[in-house]
Amino acid sequence: MSSGNFDADIQSKAVAIKHTASYAAGVIPLFYLPKNRQNMEENHEDRQAFQSSGNLVQNFFIVLPDAGAPIGVSGPESSGVLNAIRKALAGGAVPNAPLLKQPETLGEVAREWFHNNASAWRPSYAQRLKQRLEVGLLEHIGSRPLHTISPPELLEVVRKIELRDARETARRVLRIAGAVFRYGIATGRCTRDPTSDLRGALKPARAVKHRATLSARDLPKFLRNLELYQGDLTKLAMKIVLMTFVRTAELRFATWWEFENLDGPAPIWRIPAERMKMGKTHLVPLPRQAVSVLKEIRELQLGSPFVFPANTKKGVISENTLLFALYRMGYRRRATVHGFRSLASTVLNEAQFNRDWVEMQLAHADNTVRGVYNAAEWLSGRRTMLQWWADYLEAQRA
């Protein structure tokens, strides 16, 4: 048998493999490298015997265009692929030939990661994160196989966000990408996280501008000005914020059913988790002065389930109502509503109150074991602390 006929025979059987099973895209240029090609060309029967021998595998290679790409074949699948090669080269049929897994894209893995974690996030946070994921990342390279994305390619995408002067958004998108790649590593879709090579590649974050905050020595004058403010509901809302140092969103949407035991010895405000930044129900022990303010609001008979209703789209005072009141009182660039939280924290820590009580009342994150188990235990201490704070404010006003 001539060398040309032998090569043509091998080539035809390689084509049979290509048409018998749909392997990964662009796979299967096939090369036949026998140990003693000259002898086998001379003896066709010996060649046929060699095809059926167990030594066949070590003499055949499937050459992939991208040798670094995972082909997704192991265990039983690998045996099936080898059997397909043996049968095709021997001229037999290849029933139920196995398929090599296609590489998964960044978009597929990223959306799987998102859906696996979304239940642990607040809906508003999940929505913002999904927007950043889709627009900031997947819109550009979502169709790329996850394992092929390089650090420079990822950096090019994130720098498009940075060019809009959205530095913090760029950093957040990069953190999201890192979480997706780490998920990909854990689930066997890729072997490394390219974001780890991009540390220091983005422009530094801008310096944080701290909100204007009143000092303790400013309190007496501020409290006297507040008493003179024209606007009953706004003034009363400002007093509640001062005494409880809750966030503006936590205050604005307060409903009457959240307040418990207002006529009893242990009144409390139970703010639901969906309105809290940390997504956990927050308990606010109410000092007697705060209870008096709430009763004063109730006497206004505003006819709403909200404590601070207003003629707005959402039916409550706007997010800027209290801030604009501060402006009208002459405190533009001198005080903010959020600054009351810093003021309370400073005074209470200087008064040697338990730091954990202060942090819990501020509803800051506490991921320690103490944060999980001591919420109820510290309620009594926080009640004492908030009553002291309300008495302190009352004394400063006088």
Side-chain angles (χ1 to χ4, degrees):
M1 182 177 183
S2 68
S3 174
N5 290 338
F6 178 73
D7 287 339
D9 187 35
I10 293 301
Q11 184 177 2
S12 68
K13 288 179 170 55
V15 170
I17 292 179
K18 291 183 67 174
H19 291 286
T20 304
S22 300
Y23 294 99
V27 177
I28 319 215
L30 188 66
F31 297 90
Y32 180 64
L33 301 174
K35 292 180 178 178
N36 192 339
R37 174 171 178 160
Q38 182 177 359
N39 292 339
M40 298 189 76
E41 289 173 359
E42 295 172 354
N43 190 333
H44 184 67
E45 291 181 359
D46 287 346
R47 178 171 61 83
Q48 287 181 324
F50 182 83
Q51 285 179 341
S52 63
S53 74
N55 294 327
L56 176 69
V57 177
Q58 67 183 4
N59 294 292
F60 284 88
F61 300 87
I62 297 178
V63 181
L64 301 177
D66 179 4
I71 61 173
V73 178
S74 62
E77 288 187 25
S78 62
S79 299
V81 171
L82 295 176
N83 287 334
I85 294 172
R86 290 191 186 99
K87 290 185 179 181
L89 291 174
V94 187
N96 301 322
L99 300 179
L100 295 186
K101 295 178 182 176
Q102 296 288 344
E104 294 185 74
T105 66
L106 171 62
E108 291 169 339
V109 177
R111 292 183 182 104
E112 181 181 313
W113 165 81
F114 177 85
H115 289 303
N116 281 356
N117 291 279
S119 61
W121 300 325
R122 293 180 63 194
S124 57
Y125 173 74
Q127 185 176 1
R128 290 196 304 273
L129 191 148
K130 193 172 193 303
Q131 175 75 4
R132 292 181 188 128
L133 177 64
E134 294 287 346
V135 177
L137 196 62
L138 303 188
E139 186 175 289
H140 304 282
I141 54 174
S143 61
R144 299 272 287 108
L146 184 70
H147 71 275
T148 65
I149 297 173
S150 65
E153 185 177 9
L154 188 57
L155 180 61
E156 182 181 355
V157 171
V158 178
R159 277 189 170 161
K160 291 178 181 177
I161 304 171
E162 203 175 48
L163 288 174
R164 305 198 310 260
D165 203 28
R167 296 188 190 182
E168 185 55 33
T169 300
R171 300 171 79 85
R172 288 174 179 173
V173 168
L174 189 60
R175 285 197 294 269
I176 293 170
V180 171
F181 277 101
R182 288 191 296 275
Y183 177 78
I185 293 171
T187 56
R189 273 66 166 267
C190 61
T191 58
R192 66 184 309 275
D193 172 15
T195 66
S196 63
D197 296 325
L198 298 181
R199 293 189 181 95
L202 295 180
K203 293 178 181 178
R206 300 185 185 280
V208 176
K209 294 182 179 180
H210 295 286
R211 295 177 174 89
T213 304
L214 288 175
S215 67
R217 65 176 177 271
D218 297 324
L219 265 177
K221 183 178 180 180
F222 172 80
L223 293 170
R224 288 193 291 270
N225 288 339
L226 181 59
E227 286 300 320
L228 298 174
Y229 184 79
Q230 299 297 311
D232 287 343
L233 190 61
T234 300
K235 176 166 59 176
L236 296 173
M238 191 84 75
K239 288 183 177 182
I240 292 292
V241 167
L242 269 168
M243 286 187 278
T244 61
F245 38 97
V246 295
R247 298 179 179 90
T248 303
E250 296 158 9
L251 174 92
R252 291 169 55 217
F253 295 94
T255 58
W256 285 109
W257 63 263
E258 295 171 11
F259 295 90
E260 305 170 6
N261 202 24
L262 290 182
D263 295 317
I268 198 164
W269 179 9
R270 191 180 300 272
I271 306 176
E274 58 267 22
R275 210 161 70 245
M276 296 301 300
K277 183 177 181 180
M278 298 304 168
K280 296 170 61 176
T281 299
H282 185 48
L283 304 181
V284 182
L286 295 171
R288 64 178 182 276
Q289 293 90 334
V291 172
S292 296
V293 170
L294 288 169
K295 290 181 176 179
E296 191 173 346
I297 295 172
R298 183 173 280 170
E299 289 173 1
L300 295 176
Q301 297 182 350
L302 299 173
S304 170
F306 293 111
V307 179
F308 303 103
N311 187 23
T312 62
K313 288 183 179 180
K314 296 186 177 180
V316 298
I317 59 175
S318 79
E319 58 186 358
N320 291 319
T321 296
L322 299 186
L323 184 62
F324 290 164
L326 289 175
Y327 292 171
R328 287 191 286 273
M329 290 170 62
Y331 286 91
R332 181 187 292 269
R333 290 189 293 274
R334 295 171 56 197
T336 61
V337 180
H338 193 276
F340 296 149
R341 292 165 57 83
S342 298
L343 172 61
S345 176
T346 299
V347 173
L348 293 171
N349 277 295
E350 287 179 353
Q352 301 297 307
F353 278 98
N354 186 320
R355 184 176 180 275
D356 291 322
W357 298 355
V358 177
E359 291 301 299
M360 181 163 284
Q361 196 55 52
L362 289 166
H364 286 166
D366 184 355
N367 297 321
T368 65
V369 173
R370 290 186 309 166
V372 173
Y373 288 103
N374 286 348
E377 181 181 332
W378 289 343
L379 190 59
S380 175
R382 289 188 289 132
R383 185 177 298 282
T384 300
M385 180 181 72
L386 284 184
Q387 186 58 61
W388 182 94
W389 171 245
D391 292 341
Y392 172 86
L393 293 174
E394 195 171 54
Q396 293 294 309
R397 185 183 62 202

